[in-house]
Amino acid sequence: MALAVPTRKPPTGAAAGAPVFAVDGLWKVFGPRPDRVPADPELAGLTPAELRERTGCTAAVRDVGFDVRKGEVFVVMGLSGSGKSTLVRCLTRLIEPTAGTIAIDGEDVRAMDKAALRSLRRHRAAMVFQHFGLLPHRTVLDNVAYGLEIQGVGRAERRARAAEFVAKVGLEGMEQRRPGQLSGGQRQRVGLARALAVDPEVLLFDEPFSALDPLIRRDMQEEVVRLHREEGRTMVFITHDLSEALKLGDRIALMRDGRIVQLGTPEEIVGSPADDYVREFVRDVPREQVMTVRSAMRPLSSADHAGTGPALAPGATVAEAIEVVARSGEAARVMDEGRCLGVVDHECLLGVVAGTERPGETV
């Protein structure tokens, strides 16, 4: 599996940890009298098959809780039927939850009336779907401007803003084309521009690239990485593809049978799988492309030439560090804002690759 995982710097400061979405005890049950399932510990503890046999119900989301922090890309990953798409639709009540709490910036989403929900979906949380949902009779520019039109923005202003985002997603010069004249990747870029144009606080992606061929899919992943780097917008991204999750996610929630079985950074999930299911999921991931030097470094010793070795950021991948150490022939310093956190050499880097490393010191 070839991965291109961007170098990550851990979020810092109070704002980095401020939740945009806060979810607790969330359930979505389909079937007769769904409310009884989360309310009854015995029913809540049944396996999916047992629950269907006993009640005729399916629990698509089971007692899920998490926070989405401001400015992060939060990925929800799982196989088909794991509950991930139902979960993201519950966040804005496109699907009504059965039980639990959802808050956006501290405001109770489940208590919102119809007008507040419309405002939430139009202004604060924009959805990008797998199926583009473009209006076939409208041009690219008018499709991108559609959300602004719904918001009541004047024609001149909305077309100017739409043109800005058409250019931002790389479609400049195609403003007057119609969806039928575009490739799948171009149509998805229109959908992305339309979501961005309304300036939402958070973008919700529901497997947006799964219908695209691999090369176009990779280009769109790079586009999301670029836009996030430039704008720092909060994103919730749903996918069944592990490499996509590792490439895009600051944190990943891995779902199975409606539950989150592990929530952590790509490095935590690959380096410390929570159970055999997660371990099997990440078995073929090249560890050196996900693990960072923060997990591989050892303390600086008197034998190290402290001031002469090459410098690496804590978020540099082990693969990057192996190349630097091999090229220089000496241990590399792990530096953060002028402070040496530790060093990495061939031995500790190869230990990470083999999965035999000692846990790195928490910094």
Side-chain angles (χ1 to χ4, degrees), residues 7-158:
T7 298
R8 292 181 170 88
K9 183 174 181 180
T12 57
V20 176
F21 273 109
V23 177
D24 187 51
L26 185 66
W27 285 79
K28 177 56 189 177
V29 181
F30 295 97
R33 296 168 54 209
D35 293 351
R36 61 189 161 143
V37 177
D40 184 335
E42 183 183 356
L43 294 179
L46 296 177
T47 67
E50 290 168 340
L51 183 65
R52 281 193 299 272
E53 182 177 351
R54 180 112 161 244
T55 67
C57 291
T58 297
V61 177
R62 289 173 165 255
D63 195 21
V64 164
F66 60 89
D67 288 344
V68 178
R69 300 166 187 163
K70 185 174 179 61
E72 80 170 328
V73 180
F74 185 89
V75 173
V76 182
M77 183 187 70
L79 300 178
S80 179
S82 62
K84 58 189 184 300
S85 290
T86 301
L87 173 60
V88 76
R89 283 168 164 78
C90 285
L91 294 181
T92 57
R93 286 174 54 196
L94 291 173
I95 292 177
E96 283 289 345
T98 304
T101 61
I102 304 166
I104 182 168
D105 295 326
E107 186 178 353
D108 186 351
V109 174
R110 295 197 67 197
M112 290 180 177
D113 59 20
K114 290 182 179 180
L117 275 179
R118 280 196 300 271
S119 177
L120 170 67
R121 296 166 188 166
R122 289 178 181 178
H123 300 277
R124 301 169 71 181
M127 199 88 168
V128 182
F129 294 98
Q130 173 183 342
H131 302 292
F132 319 117
L134 303 182
L135 301 170
H137 61 286
R138 289 192 174 218
T139 64
V140 165
L141 189 67
D142 287 336
N143 265 286
V144 173
Y146 181 68
L148 297 169
E149 182 180 344
I150 295 297
Q151 289 183 359
V153 176
R155 186 174 188 273
E157 182 183 348
R158 69 176 181 255

Side-chain angles (χ1 to χ4, degrees), residues 226-350:
R226 182 184 67 81
L227 287 169
H228 183 257
R229 185 170 58 242
E230 291 177 358
E231 300 198 353
R233 201 179 297 269
T234 308
M235 300 181 181
V236 178
F237 198 100
I238 307 300
T239 183
H240 65 270
D241 184 272
L242 178 61
S243 63
E244 186 167 75
L246 294 172
K247 181 174 184 176
L248 299 179
D250 294 311
R251 289 188 300 149
I252 299 168
L254 179 56
M255 292 189 72
R256 182 188 189 190
D257 293 335
R259 299 186 186 277
I260 293 177
V261 294
Q262 186 168 359
L263 195 164
T265 65
E267 187 172 11
E268 289 167 344
I269 286 175
V270 171
S272 303
D275 59 18
D276 288 342
Y277 179 75
V278 182
R279 193 170 293 108
E280 182 64 21
F281 223 105
V282 303
R283 182 184 62 180
D284 296 326
V285 173
R287 292 168 58 85
E288 68 275 12
Q289 295 186 25
V290 178
M291 306 298 288
T292 68
V293 294
R294 187 182 287 270
S295 65
M297 67 187 183
R298 58 173 174 77
L300 187 69
S301 72
S302 57
D304 295 307
H305 302 291
T308 61
L312 290 165
T317 65
V318 167
E320 293 167 335
I322 289 173
E323 183 178 344
V324 168
V325 170
R327 190 167 57 239
S328 68
E330 56 183 322
R333 298 165 297 146
V334 181
M335 302 293 295
D336 187 27
E337 297 181 349
R339 185 166 63 103
C340 183
L341 306 179
V343 296
V344 288
D345 55 22
H346 278 108
E347 183 179 355
C348 55
L349 292 170
L350 293 176

Side-chain angles (χ1 to χ4, degrees), residues 211-223:
L212 303 177
D213 70 49
L215 290 178
I216 297 175
R217 182 171 187 156
R218 185 179 64 192
D219 287 345
M220 288 304 301
Q221 291 167 356
E222 293 291 347
E223 192 69 20

